[in-house]
Amino acid sequence: MDLVTLVVFGSWLAPALASAENADKDYDSPFEYDYESLRIGGLVFAVVLFVLGIVLIVTKKCSCSSDKPRPKAPDEETAVPIAQ
Amino acid sequence: MFSLSLCFQVDNSSLTGESEPQSRSPDNTHDNPLETRNVAFFSTNCVEGTARGIVICTGDHTVMGRIATLTSGLETGKTPIAKEIEHFIHIITGVAVFLGVTFFILAIVLGYSWLEAVIFLIGIIVANVPEGLLATVTVCLTLTAKRMAKKNCLVKNLEAVETLGSTSTICSDKTGTLTQNRMTVAHMWFDNQIHEADTTEDQSGASFDKSSVTWLSLARVAGLCNRAQFKAGQDALPILKRDVAGDASESALLKCIELCCGSVRANRDRNKKVAEIPFNSTNKYQLSIHETEDTNDNRYLLVMKGAPERILDCCSTIMVQGKEQPMDEELKESFQNAYMELGGLGERVLGFCHTMLAEDQYPKGFAFDTDDVNFQTDQLCFIGLMSMIDPPRAAVPDAVGKCRSAGIKVIMVTGDHPITAKAIAKGVGIISEGNETVEDIAARLNIPVSQVNPRDAKACVIHGTDLKDLSQDQMDDILRNHTEIVFARTSPQQKLIIVEGCQRLGAIVAVTGDGVNDSPALKKADIGVAMGISGSDVSKQAADMILLDDNFASIVTGVEEGRLIFDNLKKSIAYTLTSNIPEITPFLLFICANIPLPLGTITILCIDLGTDMVPAISLAYETAESDIMKRQPRNPFRDKLVNERLISIAYGQIGMIQAVAGFFAYFVILAENGFLPSKLVGIRLNWDDRSVNDLEDSYGQQWTYEQRKIVEFTCHTAFFVSIVVVQWADVIICKTRRNSVFQQGMRNKILIFGLFEETALAAFLSYCPGMDVALRMYPLKPSWWFCAFPYSFLIFVYDEVRKLLLRRNPGGWVERETYY
């Protein structure tokens, strides 16, 4: 049983190993994927989003105050504290 | 206890709240030790006179000591938010245990061994725990505490931040809290009419007509017949802020005259004092004799002030418009009316009179004998009355009005007299215009008090002695049926009983106070609020919140922030709980359908403790959806933080859609790799078997263990990313419970920040080199990110439609079943 399996394996692998590079590429190309560029692209995306978020928070401090002028409520005037 | 005393006066304000000094004598006038005149108390101040006595109690047996023992013996109960969180924990635990046990039994039925079934049980229960929720709740409360600190409200106990929002009753102390705790001249009576003085803290009120000569005489008497003086070195300070040496009433007169007529000291220097008889309780007046400033006039000026009826008895003429007129019945009657009116306002009234002593009888250099009176003390000329009150703080009436429109009942609890308490209550808005007590109704209809129907009176004023005789049911009756209540002459023990009575009726009680006598009530209340500047250290210690600028209006801020954070915590919890379902269901399907594990433990933790944290916390920055100050306070028994409707939305509706999104991505990836869904069911044993290195997929490809596991972990990463994508939609719909997102707007910058950071973190975890070794998270092909997009959109549309139906049909089925 093991011998048969080994033969089947060998016959499957052998043409693959023995054949020319072009044939390899043709067969294997659907199984190859450029993970390196994907990683770099993904990391760039992550960094861009991160920086965008920080920028949004930092500018929040300046734009928010000019965006909505806060209405001064009449009851917000603090009472003069009595010192005795 | 006194054996002898001489003009001895004490200031009991730290113990009972009375603003004016009380005189003490060796007579036993009352059974109640707080009322009787021959006892003085530890920690009160002596303001005048001398006395000798014996000590009858020390340490813990003194009244002060008893208050201290009472306060330290109280155990503070749970805050409302702690109770809510406990209730919420019970619900989550219930669901977790139910799911766990169900699947334990199911696992046994499906043939797993006992050990495996137990491991599944534990796994499911743990997966139900929202790990990030504790941090989220703490951060939300802390953010609110910081916001309140900016508005000068110092919160000592983090959970107390929310309590004011749930408050339904405020029991407020009067002296020092609602009032300024300084006597001020409020009214004057001269020229046959009552004039109003300006009692505001910054002199912004209306002034009265000062042109009358009578007023000048009145001011002169008030300034001269007065032993109070400003302390040295205060010329730069505004008059109202200066320290005065002297008793409260005389300080009030001094400040009033200084404000209206210029330097009193200069006036006193010009009219040098020759003799004086100080105030004593038998005579009830004070008298002094001065040289006039007019050097040509050698006559002496005698000025006198005291209790109005005594002064009137000594007078035969009255000054009207600067001219002396003989006193007639008509003028006497108008005097009586004025006196009754001013007294009815709860003010302390003093009468003033003067005369120029005839030169022939009292030539220059006459030796005035004050012990054996050798000069006239009758036939004087009556000038007028001045009355004083401890005025309310400027911001209080407005704050009380706002609290009442927010549905909060405001009760006054004070140790001072009922008449003064009632007058201040009317001035502040605790007793509103048009509401009468039984006594008012009786007086108006001229019938005895017993005949008045108690249901007609919405307001009532209750004396401390009556309080002692009330049973618990009677007390509950009073608290329930009256909307405006004033308790006067209450001891610290009674203040505590009142707070307990309100709590028994199910109300959440806030107590505001500043003195030592408030501390037991401050501790017992659900939230105690102390004054920061004028409050005693004991009250600040017992309280949960301190108003750093003594501004009562900060309580309104506290109520608003408390209600807002309660709503926002609901949203935050709904958001966090929703992701539990897509975290648990992979495990359940793993057990039941024997598919390869769709989502691993590390990725679950990446969600709960990583990507979900910032959006959950950002929900605390949401603004209010509708006017929260116009709502009634929440009913602590019915309106819970987490109820079945929240669970139904989070677990039953949105959570399910999210789980489907995750599984969709999972099946897509496996299918793209060659494992069609039909092949996956039942494959689990072989999939997880290390020895199987030739597992066949639907296309006949054979997979080694390592290759399979890489695909599995890629699926975990994709499931994780799908959850992140659907949580975008979840956080947007959790922003609002009723309004549409388009109405509310995306003004919450922190939320947008959270969305960006969440996605950035997910991308980083997927694509960073080394993540495959460290966390076993693999880079995803870009198309796989888009697997969950349609479900995200579906969640958004589903919830917008639900909220639309909710708004269109208030009270309908949708609201009853899904509005949390």
Side-chain angles (χ1 to χ4, degrees):
Chain A
M1 194 59 202
D2 288 342
L3 197 62
V4 175
T5 325
L6 203 62
V7 170
V8 169
F9 255 54
S11 57
W12 183 65
L13 279 176
L17 290 171
S19 67
E21 278 192 5
N22 290 342
D24 268 346
K25 276 234 168 59
D26 283 340
Y27 281 131
D28 281 348
S29 56
F31 294 97
E32 274 160 27
Y33 194 82
D34 186 4
Y35 280 105
E36 278 315 304
S37 333
L38 184 65
R39 275 186 196 273
I40 291 171
L43 279 177
V44 166
F45 177 64
V47 169
V48 163
L49 273 183
F50 185 74
V51 169
L52 210 62
I54 303 278
V55 163
L56 195 72
I57 286 293
V58 169
T59 55
K60 162 198 181 258
K61 300 225 164 39
C62 338
S63 70
C64 213
S65 45
S66 60
D67 222 50
K68 296 176 286 167
R70 218 172 286 167
K72 220 166 183 186
D75 60 315
E76 258 176 34
E77 61 185 20
T78 48
V80 175
I82 308 301
Q84 272 229 306
Chain B
M1 187 158 72
F2 293 114
S3 55
L4 90 93
S5 73
L6 195 68
C7 309
F8 190 65
Q9 292 197 335
V10 292
D11 174 15
N12 272 348
S13 58
S14 66
L15 193 60
T16 61
E18 286 165 321
S19 340
E20 357 167 319
Q22 307 290 306
S23 49
R24 302 278 113 160
S25 63
D27 330 298
N28 181 5
T29 50
H30 211 277
D31 283 331
N32 182 354
L34 279 179
E35 299 262 356
T36 184
R37 299 178 71 119
N38 58 343
V39 177
F41 303 101
F42 173 49
S43 98
T44 60
N45 298 322
C46 160
V47 289
E48 196 178 328
T50 55
R52 180 190 297 174
I54 50 172
V55 174
I56 46 174
C57 294
T58 59
D60 276 351
H61 297 288
T62 62
V63 173
M64 192 60 63
R66 272 184 270 161
I67 297 177
T69 327
L70 194 61
T71 313
S72 52
L74 287 171
E75 20 169 274
T76 46
K78 281 206 163 107
T79 60
I81 192 108
K83 289 190 201 126
E84 290 300 321
I85 293 195
E86 203 179 300
H87 175 251
F88 153 62
I89 288 174
H90 287 153
I91 294 184
I92 295 293
T93 314
V95 171
V97 169
F98 170 71
L99 268 179
V101 169
T102 311
F103 278 86
F104 174 77
I105 295 172
L106 200 61
I108 299 282
V109 164
L110 287 174
Y112 291 97
S113 71
W114 277 97
L115 186 63
E116 287 173 335
V118 166
I119 291 176
F120 291 156
L121 169 75
I122 295 172
I124 287 171
I125 291 181
V126 167
N128 261 295
V129 170
E131 286 90 358
L133 202 56
L134 181 64
T136 309
V137 170
T138 309
V139 172
C140 287
L141 290 176
T142 311
L143 286 171
T144 308
K146 281 184 73 171
R147 265 206 291 262
M148 286 173 75
K150 280 207 195 102
K151 298 184 187 165
N152 282 325
C153 259
L154 182 67
V155 178
K156 284 168 54 186
N157 177 5
L158 199 58
E159 293 176 349
V161 158
E162 188 278 331
T163 312
L164 262 182
S166 313
T167 303
S168 50
T169 307
I170 298 182
C171 289
S172 182
D173 179 48
K174 176 183 77 67
T175 314
T177 309
L178 295 175
T179 67
Q180 299 167 23
N181 202 9
R182 95 195 138 83
M183 292 299 267
T184 315
V185 174
H187 291 101
M188 275 111 11
W189 182 81
F190 57 88
D191 291 343
N192 220 353
Q193 41 168 220
I194 295 184
H195 303 260
E196 227 176 84
D198 183 8
T199 54
T200 55
E201 289 150 325
D202 51 0
Q203 295 299 297
S204 56
S207 185
F208 60 94
D209 181 19
K210 300 192 186 93
S211 55
S212 168
V213 177
T214 324
W215 163 245
L216 288 172
S217 309
L218 186 60
R220 188 174 60 171
V221 176
L224 293 178
C225 192
N226 193 325
R227 298 202 296 173
Q229 296 182 36
F230 287 118
K231 292 196 183 144
Q234 293 184 93
D235 293 326
L237 286 176
I239 292 173
L240 286 173
K241 290 227 184 94
R242 295 188 197 168
D243 255 343
V244 180
D247 83 11
S249 321
E250 297 203 324
S251 314
L253 291 170
L254 182 67
K255 287 186 180 170
C256 175
I257 305 300
E258 184 92 11
L259 274 171
C260 301
C261 306
S263 173
V264 174
R265 194 170 32 174
N267 205 9
R268 286 180 188 167
D269 288 339
R270 285 197 298 267
N271 300 319
K272 267 204 275 298
K273 194 185 301 195
V274 172
E276 85 175 320
I277 299 179
F279 189 88
N280 61 48
S281 14
T282 9
N283 295 338
K284 289 200 202 299
Y285 62 71
Q286 179 180 351
L287 179 157
S288 62
I289 304 180
H290 301 258
E291 285 177 5
T292 55
E293 51 190 328
D294 188 357
T295 40
N296 296 332
D297 193 347
N298 279 333
R299 291 181 300 170
Y300 285 109
L301 173 68
L302 185 148
V303 289
M304 190 158 139
K305 86 163 193 267
E309 31 327 317
R310 295 286 288 121
I311 300 291
L312 195 70
D313 286 340
C314 299
C315 294
S316 56
T317 56
I318 184 168
M319 183 181 280
V320 176
Q321 300 293 349
K323 286 192 278 295
E324 274 193 45
Q325 284 179 5
M327 187 93 73
D328 59 2
E329 284 308 310
E330 196 191 308
L331 284 167
K332 274 197 188 163
E333 201 170 314
S334 67
F335 160 85
Q336 283 296 342
N337 289 340
Y339 185 26
M340 300 275 279
E341 194 178 322
L342 291 176
L345 291 174
E347 302 186 7
R348 183 158 189 245
V349 190
L350 290 176
F352 296 82
C353 65
H354 74 174
T355 190
M356 296 299 287
L357 295 173
E359 195 169 351
D360 43 353
Q361 281 180 308
Y362 305 98
K364 204 164 161 74
F366 185 85
F368 291 98
D369 191 357
T370 49
D371 297 316
D372 204 4
V373 176
N374 61 351
F375 48 84
Q376 71 175 97
T377 51
D378 53 1
Q379 307 290 322
L380 305 175
C381 174
F382 186 82
I383 308 180
L385 301 171
M386 284 176 96
S387 67
M388 285 159 277
I389 196 160
D390 181 9
R393 289 184 190 265
V396 172
D398 195 42
V400 172
K402 287 216 173 94
C403 284
R404 297 188 73 169
S405 69
I408 303 176
K409 197 157 137 182
V410 184
I411 297 179
M412 182 193 278
V413 182
T414 177
D416 207 347
H417 294 279
I419 304 178
T420 327
K422 190 170 165 184
I424 296 285
K426 285 207 172 120
V428 152
I430 292 179
I431 295 184
S432 45
E433 295 280 324
N435 271 350
E436 302 171 309
T437 62
V438 278
E439 291 85 11
D440 289 339
I441 297 180
R444 185 167 55 89
L445 299 176
N446 258 329
I447 52 176
V449 176
S450 47
Q451 278 187 10
V452 178
N453 180 3
R455 292 282 172 271
D456 285 340
K458 284 275 146 229
C460 72
V461 177
I462 301 187
H463 200 279
T465 42
D466 299 333
L467 204 65
K468 265 203 294 274
D469 308 322
L470 288 176
S471 70
Q472 273 195 2
D473 291 328
Q474 284 171 314
M475 166 82 91
D476 287 353
D477 206 40
I478 291 178
L479 290 171
R480 242 197 302 263
N481 295 330
H482 295 270
T483 47
E484 303 172 345
I485 312 176
V486 172
F487 291 94
R489 277 308 202 191
T490 49
S491 66
Q493 177 82 29
Q494 287 170 334
K495 289 191 188 193
L496 188 61
I497 292 176
I498 293 167
V499 170
E500 282 174 349
C502 293
Q503 286 177 331
R504 239 198 338 268
L505 289 176
I508 294 185
V509 181
V511 169
T512 57
D514 68 323
V516 181
N517 53 343
D518 301 315
S519 40
L522 281 171
K523 194 145 181 226
K524 183 76 180 156
D526 291 294
I527 179 167
V529 180
M531 296 290 137
I533 302 178
S534 54
S536 62
D537 285 331
V538 182
S539 64
K540 283 193 256 191
Q541 191 71 18
D544 300 303
M545 187 164 113
I546 299 178
L547 301 176
L548 293 171
D549 56 357
D550 281 11
N551 187 3
F552 195 82
S554 305
I555 293 193
V556 176
T557 313
V559 171
E560 209 172 320
E561 292 287 341
R563 288 185 180 184
L564 187 62
I565 198 63
F566 191 80
D567 286 346
N568 287 346
L569 273 177
K570 271 197 197 193
K571 296 175 189 174
S572 200
I573 292 177
Y575 171 80
T576 310
L577 285 184
T578 309
S579 66
N580 267 6
I581 292 292
E583 289 168 9
I584 305 170
T585 40
F587 203 58
L588 302 183
L589 234 60
F590 171 70
I591 298 172
C592 299
N594 278 321
I595 54 176
L597 187 65
L599 185 67
T601 335
I602 303 227
T603 36
I604 291 182
L605 290 176
C606 285
I607 293 276
D608 281 345
L609 295 173
T611 59
D612 262 357
M613 296 295 291
V614 181
I617 292 173
S618 76
L619 285 170
Y621 287 91
E622 278 300 311
T623 52
E625 285 183 59
S626 54
D627 201 346
I628 46 180
M629 289 305 278
K630 292 283 184 283
R631 276 191 246 155
Q632 292 292 304
R634 75 175 178 98
N635 182 333
F637 301 114
R638 276 203 310 267
D639 305 326
K640 295 276 175 196
L641 185 66
V642 175
N643 49 27
E644 315 72 46
R645 282 163 284 171
L646 194 151
I647 298 285
S648 132
I649 295 266
Y651 278 3
Q653 296 167 44
I654 309 295
M656 290 299 171
I657 303 177
Q658 292 193 343
V660 172
F663 278 112
F664 181 66
Y666 166 80
F667 284 122
V668 159
I669 292 182
L670 281 172
E672 278 193 19
N673 272 295
F675 285 92
L676 294 176
S678 50
K679 187 81 178 157
L680 288 171
V681 177
I683 208 175
R684 184 182 68 86
L685 283 170
N686 287 332
W687 185 279
D688 287 338
D689 195 342
R690 256 178 212 278
S691 59
V692 173
N693 277 312
D694 56 355
L695 188 65
E696 270 194 30
D697 64 15
S698 315
Y699 297 97
Q701 298 171 111
Q702 291 185 333
W703 292 77
T704 63
Y705 179 79
E706 210 33 60
Q707 289 168 333
R708 291 200 301 272
K709 281 297 160 183
I710 290 176
V711 174
E712 185 179 326
F713 291 124
T714 311
C715 285
H716 291 183
T717 314
F719 208 112
F720 158 73
V721 163
S722 303
I723 295 182
V724 169
V725 169
V726 287
Q727 285 285 64
W728 296 343
D730 195 22
V731 79
I732 291 177
I733 62 168
C734 281
K735 257 169 82 75
T736 58
R737 292 188 298 141
R738 186 186 283 270
N739 291 352
S740 157
V741 179
F742 303 109
Q743 286 173 324
Q744 183 83 347
M746 289 294 287
R747 278 194 287 270
N748 188 350
K749 297 282 177 89
I750 312 279
L751 195 134
I752 301 177
F753 168 74
L755 286 173
F756 283 161
E757 297 314 304
E758 183 180 32
T759 318
L761 182 63
F764 176 76
L765 284 175
S766 176
Y767 293 115
C768 188
M771 279 297 158
D772 50 354
V773 177
L775 298 177
R776 305 234 72 175
M777 294 182 80
Y778 286 83
L780 296 179
K781 294 185 186 171
S783 56
W784 294 340
W785 280 77
F786 294 99
C787 285
F789 272 55
Y791 295 93
S792 200
F793 186 69
L794 175 65
I795 288 176
F796 180 75
V797 166
Y798 173 83
D799 213 63
E800 277 295 308
V801 167
R802 178 184 73 90
K803 285 189 276 217
L804 183 73
L805 289 177
L806 213 146
R807 285 195 303 278
R808 291 287 168 84
N809 306 324
W813 182 86
V814 178
E815 181 169 342
R816 275 199 317 269
E817 294 298 318
T818 65
Y819 178 61
Y820 58 89

